[in-house]
Amino acid sequence: MTSPIAIERGGHRTWLKWHRGRRRAGDPAFTGARILEGMALGASVEVDLVIHADHGCAILHNLSLEQETTGTGLVRQTSAAQLRQLHLRGEDGAPLADRVMLLEDLCALLTAHPPREGALLQLDFKEDLAALDPATVAGFSANIGPLSRYMIVSGGDFDAISLLTQSTPMLKQGYDPCYGQSLARLQADGDHARFISEALDTAPEADFIYLHHEIVLEADRAGFDMIGAVHDAGRKVDAWTIKTVDSQSLPKVDRLLALKVDQITTDDPEGLAAALAS
């Protein structure tokens, strides 16, 4: 079976990131078994973080519970104990046997089943600086500290990401400029060079710059190599998210590989690796 971890092309390796812990199309998001599987293989895996009522983080994407879990209401207003009683929902909305995990639950799993060297778990923080308080930051650092060499924290609010990174030695940092005022200016003026320059200036310590794949390809069509500009600054690029593997997405992936993107976020790493191999 083709490895669902990375693609080698033209002497360059591009990692296939398991978006929300998915290995293949149809996998539910954020299940402990799949996350552990990816980390054991040495894959790049992504999960999301939102803050709950007890000043900790839940492994969920949305700020409300209805779509992803069997609960209702806001994650922010739900206690850790209540969250642990909720079940995740699959892609079809049906409840799963898997329960909602908190950050400390995931860290306990990874401690019991150590990742393979080279594996990387992306913690994508879905909130902003205003959502963080000292207790939340302290808990975040305490939970991931022993595992931080396997982790990178990312998000669209650089101040929040910077605070979390500074709280934890060895934790890598990633920045996603594809939100807010920076994206609005790009949409208004099409100045791709300024967009990426501002991103690099905003996050001078970021190991990865996370870019929507369509922005990268649009810049390429306009004659500007956005990935090359990030590489020139000594950083790496993750292009997100290839949701399906089909005749429309594969030419886009081929072009991203030709541009030497460092990582592609996908909901179907296994299917994408197989399609590219064939």
Side-chain angles (χ1 to χ4, degrees):
M1 179 181 293
T2 303
S3 170
I5 295 176
I7 296 294
E8 303 277 355
R9 185 173 291 186
H12 181 77
R13 168 169 278 201
T14 297
W15 295 92
L16 302 180
K17 189 177 74 189
W18 296 23
H19 186 224
R20 302 186 192 174
R22 297 184 178 107
R23 175 176 177 145
R24 60 176 65 100
D27 276 350
F30 307 135
T31 62
R34 273 290 191 246
I35 296 168
L36 288 180
E37 180 182 0
M39 297 297 284
L41 288 172
S44 177
V45 181
E46 181 256 9
V47 300
D48 298 326
L49 301 181
V50 294
I51 297 174
H52 59 66
D54 293 326
H55 305 279
C57 294
I59 310 296
L60 292 170
H61 177 271
N62 299 329
L63 301 184
S64 58
L65 292 164
E66 288 82 359
Q67 183 176 348
E68 295 177 281
T69 80
T70 53
T72 60
L74 297 176
V75 179
R76 168 66 76 167
Q77 297 174 355
T78 308
S79 71
Q82 290 172 315
L83 285 167
R84 285 190 171 113
Q85 296 304 309
L86 301 179
H87 290 262
L88 296 171
R89 292 187 183 275
E91 293 298 290
D92 60 358
L96 304 172
D98 303 85
R99 295 182 188 267
V100 173
M101 286 191 295
L102 307 185
L103 180 58
E104 54 264 42
D105 301 329
L106 178 55
C107 289
L109 284 177
L110 292 171
T111 299
H113 305 276
R116 183 173 179 175
E117 288 301 323
L120 186 64
L121 181 66
Q122 179 188 344
L123 305 172
D124 198 33
F125 186 61
K126 309 310 290 188
E127 304 200 44
D128 57 18
L129 180 65
L132 290 171
D133 59 21
T136 304
V137 175
F140 172 87
S141 179
N143 284 317
I144 73 166
L147 297 160
S148 60
R149 71 182 185 276
Y150 300 110
M151 296 185 176
I152 181 169
V153 64
S154 65
D157 186 324
F158 175 73
D159 291 334
I161 300 312
S162 180
L163 179 60
L164 292 172
T165 307
Q166 292 170 10
S167 75
T168 311
M170 298 180 65
L171 179 63
K172 298 179 180 67
Q173 182 185 97
Y175 174 56
D176 187 342
C178 299
Y179 300 96
Q181 294 181 352
S182 181
L183 180 59
R185 283 196 298 272
L186 174 61
Q187 293 169 332
D189 62 23
D191 191 339
H192 298 96
R194 184 176 74 174
F195 174 78
I196 206 64
S197 177
E198 289 179 348
L200 293 168
D201 289 344
T202 297
E205 302 300 323
D207 297 272
F208 265 93
I209 303 296
Y210 296 88
L211 299 172
H212 193 293
H213 72 277
E214 293 289 5
I215 291 176
V216 174
L217 295 174
E218 181 181 330
D220 179 51
R221 291 190 291 269
F224 179 70
D225 183 358
M226 193 172 279
I227 294 171
V230 176
H231 286 172
D232 287 345
R235 326 285 188 83
K236 296 179 181 179
V237 174
D238 175 300
W240 56 269
T241 298
I242 302 299
K243 296 183 178 180
T244 58
V245 179
D246 55 28
S247 59
Q248 292 185 327
S249 63
L250 283 173
K252 297 177 181 180
V253 171
D254 277 330
R255 186 55 188 160
L256 291 169
L257 293 174
L259 292 168
K260 299 190 182 305
V261 71
D262 301 284
Q263 186 163 268
I264 294 174
T265 299
T266 174
D267 287 320
D268 189 5
E270 188 171 277
L272 183 55
L276 292 170
S278 63

